[in-house]
Amino acid sequence: MAGKPKLHYTKGRGKMESIRWLLAAAGVEFEEQFIEKKEDLEKLRNDGVLLFQQVPMVEMDGMRMVQTRAILSYIAAKYNLYGKDLKERAWIDMYVEGTTDLMGMIMYLPFQPADTKEKNLALIIERATTRYFPVYEKALKDHGQDYLVGNKLSWADVHLLEAILMVEECKADVLSAFPQLQAFKGRISNIPTIKKFLQPGSQRKPPTDEKFVAFVRTIFNI
């Protein structure tokens, strides 16, 4: 299992997308083995390579890693994106958990009944603009540095940019009241490895549409 990390997941965003983002930001090339039918998932389960019978799964450094948080923290630590000490790591963790909560709301929106989507979309925007974005806006303003923690690129910055772009897909002008986040978005988007990932033809996946929702329901019996 040497060589490039191999990512096992469907050909969509889901819980794997943040892993793709972090590897790309670290400048790590990776391969993807897509689950394209129910039998592909069953084979992984039957082969005993999924610790809890679930994906995402990443083959990396001789391990078959599962559980999104465990995979992300390993990548962050391996590629020096996890702060210089325990306090910085705690701040990175707090910031990441916030953006994880926000992105989770967006991730599950396409799977919700049509009659609740409008209400839940409004809730996402409300939470983004009153609970989450003000925290990051204040952090950047208070310390006056380019990055959230330690004035160095970390997992927290990568995750926040991913979250910002996801919320902007829901409401294009969502950052209008957040000048620090507007500037942050511009800075982080122009880091060469991230800029490359944001270009057409990269391994970044498109927003989830109805066709993909139907596909996922078939694969995972949901």
Side-chain angles (χ1 to χ4, degrees):
M1 290 191 286
K4 296 179 184 177
K6 182 181 281 190
L7 281 50
H8 295 262
Y9 202 65
T10 57
K11 198 173 186 177
R13 286 187 182 177
K15 292 188 174 184
M16 185 66 89
E17 190 70 356
S18 292
I19 297 168
R20 298 181 184 111
W21 264 90
L22 197 57
L23 285 169
V28 179
E29 293 185 2
F30 57 88
E31 300 173 352
E32 299 192 79
Q33 182 71 51
F34 294 119
I35 295 168
E36 297 179 325
K37 54 187 183 297
K38 194 179 292 188
E39 289 76 16
D40 295 337
L41 180 59
E42 287 305 313
K43 185 176 189 309
L44 288 172
R45 287 172 171 164
N46 293 336
D47 287 350
V49 299
L50 301 179
L51 193 62
F52 300 111
Q53 308 294 308
Q54 296 171 309
V55 290
M57 189 268 279
V58 174
E59 294 184 69
M60 185 175 181
D61 295 344
M63 295 186 289
R64 292 188 175 106
M65 291 190 287
V66 297
Q67 296 293 1
T68 309
R69 170 82 200 193
I71 297 166
L72 285 165
S73 59
Y74 179 86
I75 294 166
K78 180 179 172 73
Y79 294 105
N80 201 23
L81 295 167
Y82 212 175
K84 70 177 187 296
D85 56 31
L86 278 174
K87 285 189 176 180
E88 286 195 357
R89 185 167 293 197
W91 276 106
I92 290 167
D93 283 340
M94 286 190 281
Y95 288 143
V96 164
E97 289 301 318
T99 40
T100 297
D101 289 346
L102 179 57
M103 288 193 285
M105 295 173 71
I106 300 170
M107 194 185 307
Y108 292 115
L109 185 65
F111 295 88
Q112 294 168 352
D115 59 348
T116 65
K117 278 186 184 176
E118 192 171 330
K119 177 184 173 184
N120 286 318
L121 178 59
L123 180 62
I124 288 166
I125 302 305
E126 189 266 331
R127 288 277 172 83
T129 55
T130 66
R131 179 178 295 186
Y132 296 108
F133 287 172
V135 170
Y136 305 106
E137 180 78 7
K138 184 177 187 300
L140 291 165
K141 185 177 182 180
D142 285 354
H143 63 47
Q145 297 175 337
D146 288 347
Y147 306 102
L148 285 169
V149 179
N151 202 27
K152 180 179 181 297
L153 181 70
S154 75
W155 174 18
D157 300 304
V158 179
H159 222 240
L160 177 55
L161 178 60
E162 183 187 1
I164 286 170
L165 297 181
M166 285 179 73
V167 180
E168 284 186 333
E169 288 170 351
C170 299
K171 188 176 190 290
D173 65 347
V174 74
L175 290 186
S176 59
F178 301 100
Q180 296 290 335
L181 288 181
Q182 291 175 40
F184 172 88
K185 174 190 166 187
R187 286 195 302 273
I188 307 302
S189 296
N190 278 299
I191 292 170
T193 52
I194 294 175
K195 188 173 184 178
K196 182 180 178 183
F197 188 62
L198 291 171
Q199 298 302 311
S202 80
Q203 286 166 294
R204 186 183 179 212
K205 301 299 181 275
T208 299
D209 58 17
E210 289 184 12
K211 182 179 178 183
F212 187 72
V213 168
F215 169 76
V216 169
R217 289 190 190 282
T218 301
I219 296 290
F220 296 102
N221 294 322
I222 57 174

